[in-house]
């Protein structure tokens, strides 16, 4: 057992070790809150994934299948025995997945850069799917010696909730390789099992009698007293009145849907339909709310989000009654209050991950949105969809047909037993948990002290990280392979004329690598002196090494950028420019690693936390952003902005000089501004939208020909520049999200132009 707070201990294992972690806890112990806090603070490049589309949207992540481009169906680590029962059954193997793995360069880069993979709702994660993830990461990262290709995995979930779904025909295949379908029986974890950490403080229930019942359900220790207690709440034919505000938890979607429809039809009021607004990429399988929401005055509904205003007028799972409806308005009254709430629509985001071309960090990109009122009819809901919700009153109607864990999930949704109604009797034998889960849970007790492990593992992690950050061998190998890719005749390839430059780059890097290897030996010797004085000496030597190596690494980056400017003068060089961009990104990543290693060592010695904010503070991005802007500005040839890190032929290539109009359309907007006209007047006279005019003027802001302050005002400009500085990004979507809808994309574009102009 550990004396430390489990959540704080879990965060330390994530931030300062490379160990895999299983973070669990009873319903209502704050697993989701931990995840949100971790993403805000961790210095590691993290990606969130989940087994299903809805779970991914709720966790603000992506689905496992989309992230790793995995096919649906059974995965087997190798082909099954020839005499096995697998005829006419579909399955995937490492060979079949690799054969069909058609991953874009941007997706590959995310998987290569990723340091931490967070898998939420892990109770539903199948062992074979986890092994498929392991296989893809080893393959993409070219690291077959470490589980998950060297990526740390944080598993979050409650195994006493809903289990993975496996058909009997699938188990005929899986059973040849796996002890159970649960993630912990994946082959990838057998030699590297996760640290088991449990959040224990319950925030949902306060009634100790109820808490004890739930604990006994989880631990397969249901007593005769527990069964007798549940019997007290058995009412077979219970029919709630309209004012009772009970929600029925049942096992199947069609049963819940039928009950909701029947109760809605009983209301005599008129129906109102509210259609969700779906923009760009948002799969219908991941819709977090009804696409078309039908309501009537008097309908019982449930909030499916917490109050976004922070006023805590409602929470996810709270019951309410519809009091007023119009085509563009919904008013409800939540239970337990006389206050009426006029709801605003909520926007759920579907995100994708990419690597920022300037910072090299893994960033979220908005792929699509789903906007709808955060409500659903709430006379009934399935147990499956009730995960994460909290109810004051519930009728539990699950009969005898349910999977292990469903009775626990259903009961744990309630704040107390006072709100419980059971419409079917539950015997003690009918609520036993899966034996595999019970067996795995016992590993928590058998593992070594977490307090001891964190000391040992964090020390090993820091030593390993220092060695990795000053090891230039992978970089040297990459440049070596690059130099040996110059194979064409100089008259047939624009790339070939740069072969001598590339050869000299490799020669110089190999020399620097020799010096780095000497420093690696010093780290090994100095790390053995485990005293405060020894660590202080190591820090001083590491700072000196950073001051020596990083200017050299930056020099290599500048050489590559300068070569790009020469390359851009030639024709048909798109592929070569992309190669140079990828190579420079590796040099920049090495620079960041060295900076980060020194910062982490300093924090460890001083006993302070090392966070995402500390990493950002170590990196000065203004000069790099300006350099990248110049690289990506290749009029008439290339446009790198459509896909980060990948140059593509521009669809809006500039016409040849002789065909350009005598008057540039941007100049017309500029002259009208100088004549004293407002943006609205310019847009009106030119029959264009204001955003187009703002785009014209942003061009001249970047060239110092007009002041951004004169266009959008000092107050807005200052806030945009501060957002760029705080967020460390030039992407307009995150800046807009940060600033709010009072700022248009055109205004932000002008602010970005002003920022780039300052950096020149």
């Amino acid at each position: 057992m550990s004396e430390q707070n489990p959540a704080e201990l879990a965060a330390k294992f994530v931030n300062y070790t490379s160990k895999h972690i299983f973070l669990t806890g009873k319903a209502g112990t704050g697993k989701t809150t931990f995840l949100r806090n971790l993403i805000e603070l961790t210095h590691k490049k993290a990606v969130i994934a989940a087994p299903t589309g809805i779970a991914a949207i709720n966790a603000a992540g992506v689905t496992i299948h989309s992230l790793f481009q995995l096919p649906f169906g059974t995965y087997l680590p190798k082909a099954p025995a020839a005499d096995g029962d697998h005829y006419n059954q579909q399955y995937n193997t490492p060979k079949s997945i690799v054969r069909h793995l058609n991953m874009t360069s941007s997706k590959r880069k995310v998987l290569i850069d990723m340091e931490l993979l967070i898998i939420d709702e892990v109770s539903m994660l199948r062992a074979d799917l986890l092994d498929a993830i392991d296989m893809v990461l080893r393959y993409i990262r070219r690291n077959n010696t470490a589980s998950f290709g060297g990526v740390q995995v944080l598993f979050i979930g409650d195994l006493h909730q809903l289990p993975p779904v496996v058909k009997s025909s699938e188990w005929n295949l899986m059973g040849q390789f796996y002890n159970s379908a649960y993630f912990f029986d994946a082959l990838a974890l057998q030699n590297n099992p996760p640290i088991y950490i449990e959040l224990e403080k319950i925030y949902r229930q306060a009634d100790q009698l109820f808490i004890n019942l739930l604990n006994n359900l989880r631990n397969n220790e249901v007593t005769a007293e527990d069964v007798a207690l549940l019997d007290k709440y058995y009412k077979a034919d219970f029919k709630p009145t309209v004012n009772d505000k009970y929600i029925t938890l049942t096992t199947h979607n069609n049963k819940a849907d039928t009950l909701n429809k029947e109760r809605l039809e009983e209301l005599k009021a008129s129906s109102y339909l509210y259609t969700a607004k779906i923009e760009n990429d948002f799969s219908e399988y991941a819709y977090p709310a009804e696409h078309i929401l039908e309501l009537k005055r008097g309908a019982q509904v449930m909030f499916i989000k917490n109050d976004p205003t922070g006023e805590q007028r409602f929470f996810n799972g709270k019951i309410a009654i519809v009091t007023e409806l119009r085509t563009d308005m919904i008013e409800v009254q939540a239970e337990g209050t006389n206050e009426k709430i006029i709801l605003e629509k909520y926007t759920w985001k579907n995100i994708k991950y990419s690597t920022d071309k300037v910072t090299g960090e893994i960033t979220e990109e908005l792929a699509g949105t789903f906007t709808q009122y955060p409500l659903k009819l709430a006379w009934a809901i399935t147990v499956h969809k009730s995960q994460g919700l909290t109810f004051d009153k519930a009728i539990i109607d699950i009969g005898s047909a349910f999977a292990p864990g469903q009775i626990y999930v259903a009961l744990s949704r309630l704040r107390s037993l006072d709100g419980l109604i059971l419409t079917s009797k539950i015997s003690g034998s009918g609520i036993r948990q899966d034996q595999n889960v019970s067996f795995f849970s016992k590993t928590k007790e058998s593992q070594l002290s977490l307090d001891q492990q964190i000391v040992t593992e964090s020390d090993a992690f820091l030593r390993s990280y220092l060695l990795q950050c000053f090891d230039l061998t992978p970089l040297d190998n990459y440049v070596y392979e690059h130099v040996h890719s110059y194979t064409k005749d100089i008259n047939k390839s624009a790339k070939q004329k740069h072969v001598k430059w590339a050869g000299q780059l490799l020669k110089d890097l190999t020399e620097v690598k020799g010096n780095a290897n000497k420093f690696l030996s010093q780290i090994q010797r100095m790390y053995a002196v485990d005293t405060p004085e020894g660590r202080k000496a190591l820090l001083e030597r590491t700072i000196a090494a950073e001051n020596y190596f990083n200017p050299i690494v930056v020099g290599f980056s500048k050489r590559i950028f300068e070569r790009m400017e020469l390359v851009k003068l030639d024709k048909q060089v798109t592929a070569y420019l992309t190669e140079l961009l990828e190579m420079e990104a590796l040099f920049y990543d090495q620079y960041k690693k060295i900076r980060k290693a020194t910062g982490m060592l300093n924090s460890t010695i001083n006993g302070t936390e090392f966070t995402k904010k500390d990493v950002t503070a170590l990196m000065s991005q203004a000069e790099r952003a300006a350099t990248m802007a110049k690289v990506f500005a290749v009029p008439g040839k290339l446009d790198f902005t459509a896909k980060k890190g990948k140059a593509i032929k521009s669809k809006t290539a500039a016409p040849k000089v002789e065909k350009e109009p005598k008057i540039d359309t941007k100049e017309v907007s500029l002259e009208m501004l100088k004549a004293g006209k407002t943006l609205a007047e310019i847009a009106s006279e030119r029959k264009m939208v204001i955003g187009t005019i703002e785009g014209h003027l942003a061009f001249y802001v970047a060239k110092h020909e007009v002041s951004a302050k004169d266009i959008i005002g000092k107050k807005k400009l200052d806030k945009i520049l501060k957002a760029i500085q705080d967020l460390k990004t030039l992407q307009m979507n995150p800046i807009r999200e940060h600033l709010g809808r009072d700022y248009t994309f055109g205004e932000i574009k002008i602010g970005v132009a002003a920022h780039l102009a300052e950096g020149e």
Side-chain angles (χ1 to χ4, degrees):
M1 292 293 290
S2 167
E3 295 179 5
Q4 297 186 51
N5 177 291
E8 292 177 2
L9 193 61
K12 286 183 179 179
F13 268 104
V14 169
N15 288 322
Y16 304 115
T17 82
S18 56
K19 294 288 290 182
H20 306 314
I21 302 134
F22 171 52
L23 181 72
T24 188
K26 306 174 182 69
T29 50
K31 296 184 291 295
T32 302
T33 302
F34 173 86
L35 172 57
R36 296 269 61 82
N37 292 340
L38 180 69
I39 289 298
E40 287 294 318
L41 295 174
T42 184
H43 61 82
K44 293 185 177 180
K45 296 178 181 178
V47 169
I48 303 171
T52 67
I54 292 175
I57 294 296
N58 289 336
V62 295
T63 65
I64 288 170
H65 287 88
S66 67
L67 180 62
F68 297 100
Q69 297 223 319
L70 293 170
F72 289 97
T74 305
Y75 170 82
L76 302 179
K78 62 181 181 180
D83 58 350
D85 181 19
H86 61 269
Y87 294 104
N88 299 320
Q89 291 190 48
Q90 295 292 318
Y91 60 86
N92 304 297
T93 63
K95 284 186 178 179
S96 68
I97 288 179
V98 168
R99 191 184 310 124
H100 297 101
L101 198 63
N102 185 24
M103 197 172 283
T104 63
S105 60
S106 59
K107 275 201 170 186
R108 281 176 178 266
K109 183 137 182 63
V110 167
L111 299 188
I112 290 169
D113 291 343
M114 179 170 58
E115 296 171 309
L116 172 66
L117 171 63
I118 302 170
I119 302 181
D120 197 22
E121 296 290 6
V122 75
S123 71
M124 296 185 284
L125 176 65
R126 282 172 38 161
D128 60 330
L129 183 57
L130 185 57
D131 277 339
I133 294 170
D134 173 61
M135 186 278 296
V136 170
L137 282 172
R138 288 172 185 252
Y139 174 76
I140 294 291
R141 294 166 66 93
R142 298 185 180 183
N143 181 350
N144 204 36
T145 59
S147 63
F148 303 99
V151 174
Q152 181 184 30
V153 186
L154 168 62
F155 304 97
I156 300 179
D158 184 358
L159 292 175
H160 296 278
Q161 298 200 16
L162 299 180
V165 177
V166 183
K167 299 173 184 173
S168 58
S169 59
E170 291 177 314
W171 184 246
N172 288 338
L173 288 170
M174 284 181 62
Q176 298 180 39
F177 301 94
Y178 298 100
N179 291 329
S180 80
Y182 287 95
F183 86 94
F184 50 76
D185 275 326
L187 304 182
L189 293 178
Q190 299 315 297
N191 295 323
N192 197 357
I195 298 289
Y196 194 122
I197 299 178
E198 184 168 3
L199 302 178
E200 294 174 337
K201 182 176 179 181
I202 297 174
Y203 295 94
R204 183 174 289 141
Q205 290 94 15
D207 176 3
Q208 195 57 48
L209 183 68
F210 190 23
I211 290 172
N212 291 341
L213 170 64
L214 292 174
N215 285 341
N216 289 346
L217 280 168
R218 286 171 61 87
N219 301 330
N220 272 348
E221 296 172 353
V222 177
T223 65
E225 290 78 11
D226 293 327
V227 175
L229 177 62
L230 287 174
D231 275 346
K232 292 180 182 178
Y233 299 94
Y234 170 62
K235 296 181 183 179
D237 301 315
F238 181 78
K239 298 292 180 186
T241 66
V242 174
N243 297 321
D244 279 340
K245 296 186 177 130
Y246 276 93
I247 186 167
T248 297
L249 299 184
T250 187
T251 49
H252 296 90
N253 276 315
N254 57 0
K255 195 167 185 179
D257 291 343
T258 299
L259 183 53
N260 281 325
K261 189 175 181 181
E262 287 174 353
R263 296 299 297 272
L264 187 66
E265 286 177 352
E266 289 173 7
L267 297 176
K268 303 303 181 186
S270 300
S271 282
Y272 283 77
L273 301 179
Y274 301 92
T275 303
K277 182 181 180 183
I278 299 153
E279 294 184 314
N280 300 323
D281 182 11
F282 209 109
S283 169
E284 63 180 296
Y285 299 108
Y287 285 175
E290 297 291 340
H291 183 202
I292 300 176
L293 175 64
E294 181 181 1
L295 295 177
K296 291 181 179 181
R297 187 173 180 177
Q300 180 167 296
V301 291
M302 177 180 73
F303 296 100
I304 53 176
K305 290 298 295 184
N306 293 333
D307 186 355
T309 68
E311 297 175 16
Q312 299 183 330
R313 299 169 300 169
F314 55 85
F315 55 81
N316 190 7
K318 189 171 183 66
I319 302 296
I321 298 295
V322 174
T323 52
E324 191 63 53
L325 293 172
R326 291 199 291 270
T327 55
D328 59 350
M329 188 275 288
I330 298 176
E331 180 189 79
V332 299
Q333 182 177 334
E335 63 176 325
T337 177
N338 293 324
E339 179 188 2
K340 292 182 179 177
I341 303 168
I342 295 179
L343 282 183
E344 293 183 358
K345 291 183 178 179
Y346 183 86
T347 297
W348 287 265
K349 298 172 185 175
N350 176 29
I351 65 144
K352 291 184 178 178
Y353 290 102
S354 64
T355 300
D356 188 280
K357 69 190 179 196
V358 174
T359 66
E361 294 297 312
I362 292 177
T363 58
E364 295 178 1
E365 285 191 336
L366 191 63
T369 59
F370 180 100
T371 303
Q372 178 60 289
Y373 289 103
L375 290 177
K376 69 184 304 175
L377 292 176
W379 286 287
I381 190 174
T382 62
V383 175
H384 186 277
K385 290 180 180 176
S386 75
Q387 278 194 236
L389 303 180
T390 302
F391 305 122
D392 290 318
K393 294 180 177 182
I395 300 167
I396 297 180
D397 174 30
I398 57 178
S400 57
F402 54 85
Q406 279 204 334
I407 181 62
Y408 171 75
V409 174
L411 286 172
S412 62
R413 300 306 95 203
L414 280 160
R415 289 188 187 277
S416 74
L417 286 168
D418 293 341
L420 173 64
I421 298 291
L422 292 171
T423 56
S424 53
K425 285 211 171 192
I426 300 172
S427 66
S429 60
I431 51 181
R432 293 187 65 78
Q433 296 290 335
D434 190 292
Q435 292 296 328
N436 292 292
V437 172
S438 300
F439 180 77
F440 177 64
S441 297
K442 289 182 172 58
T443 62
K444 177 190 174 188
E445 305 305 323
S446 62
Q447 67 186 0
L448 296 174
S449 163
L450 295 180
D451 292 329
Q452 292 175 358
Q453 284 194 69
I454 191 64
V455 173
T456 306
E457 293 294 341
S458 59
D459 194 59
F461 173 74
L462 183 58
R463 175 181 169 278
S464 174
Y465 195 80
L466 280 170
L467 292 171
Q468 175 196 342
C469 294
F470 286 96
D471 183 4
L472 302 184
T473 302
L475 190 56
D476 186 66
N477 289 341
Y478 184 92
V479 177
Y480 176 86
E481 290 181 14
H482 173 80
V483 168
H484 285 78
S485 70
Y486 293 73
T487 55
K488 292 185 179 178
D489 185 275
I490 194 166
N491 296 318
K492 295 181 180 179
S493 169
K495 171 181 174 178
Q496 198 65 22
K497 67 174 72 173
H498 303 283
V499 64
K500 287 185 178 178
W501 169 84
Q504 187 61 47
L505 190 77
L506 175 62
K507 182 181 177 183
D508 295 344
L509 176 59
T510 302
E511 185 178 326
V512 176
K513 188 192 86 166
N515 293 332
N517 287 344
K518 294 175 185 176
F519 179 61
L520 292 178
S521 299
Q522 290 181 23
I523 292 177
Q524 297 274 31
R525 290 197 304 272
M526 297 182 77
Y527 214 91
V529 184
D530 189 11
T531 64
E533 294 75 18
R535 287 293 182 262
K536 185 178 179 182
L538 175 62
L539 177 60
E540 290 173 354
R541 190 70 193 91
T542 303
I543 292 171
E546 179 189 343
N547 291 337
Y548 172 76
F549 286 110
N550 259 352
I552 295 174
V553 174
V554 170
F556 281 115
S557 279
K558 286 183 177 177
R559 285 165 67 173
I560 298 171
F561 279 135
E562 289 166 0
R563 183 56 43 168
M564 287 187 211
E565 293 303 316
L566 287 175
V567 170
K568 280 165 23 180
L569 300 175
D570 293 329
K571 297 179 179 179
Q572 297 179 332
V573 292
T574 306
Y576 184 43
L577 276 173
T578 303
E579 287 179 41
L580 293 179
L581 273 168
E582 290 174 352
M583 184 163 66
E584 190 283 328
L586 291 177
F587 276 97
Y588 180 64
D589 195 47
Q590 195 76 45
Y591 162 82
K592 283 177 35 179
K593 283 179 179 177
I594 292 173
R595 290 239 65 194
K596 187 174 171 181
T598 309
M600 194 182 298
L601 179 59
N602 185 49
S603 288
T604 301
I605 291 172
N606 292 318
T608 59
E609 291 294 317
F610 189 72
T611 67
K612 182 182 290 186
K613 188 179 289 186
D614 295 314
V615 174
T616 304
L618 290 171
M619 314 297 169
S620 176
Q621 306 291 0
E623 182 179 349
R624 180 170 174 80
T627 304
M628 294 296 284
K630 290 177 183 176
V631 169
F632 281 65
V634 196
K637 287 191 178 210
L638 303 168
D639 174 13
F640 289 84
T641 57
K643 291 186 179 179
K644 291 184 179 179
K646 184 176 181 182
I648 61 171
K649 291 289 182 182
S650 173
K651 294 181 180 178
T652 56
K656 294 180 180 179
V657 174
E658 63 268 23
K659 292 185 179 179
E660 286 184 351
K662 292 180 180 179
I663 301 175
D664 190 330
T665 184
K666 295 190 295 294
E667 289 183 9
V668 176
S669 296
L670 177 64
E671 292 304 319
M672 293 177 75
L673 180 76
K674 288 181 176 179
K677 294 186 181 295
T678 66
L679 296 188
E681 289 170 342
I682 298 171
S684 176
E685 287 187 30
R686 302 204 64 194
K687 293 183 171 57
M688 296 177 174
V689 296
I690 290 179
T692 301
I693 305 301
E694 288 169 330
H696 291 170
L697 299 177
F699 175 82
Y700 294 105
V701 169
K703 294 180 68 178
H704 299 278
E705 291 186 26
V706 66
S707 168
K709 183 171 63 176
D710 293 340
I711 304 172
I712 62 176
K714 183 178 185 303
K715 185 178 178 181
K716 278 199 169 183
L717 176 62
D718 288 346
K719 287 199 173 183
I720 294 170
L721 292 175
K722 187 176 185 306
I724 292 170
Q725 184 179 359
D726 291 346
L727 300 174
K728 305 296 181 188
T729 184
L730 297 178
Q731 296 179 56
M732 289 194 289
N733 272 330
I735 295 172
R736 175 88 181 291
E737 285 183 36
H738 178 77
L739 293 171
R741 296 188 176 274
D742 290 340
Y743 291 75
T744 67
F745 283 109
E747 289 170 338
I748 294 170
K749 188 181 291 185
I750 289 170
V752 170
H755 172 79
L756 292 175
E758 286 178 0
E760 291 184 353

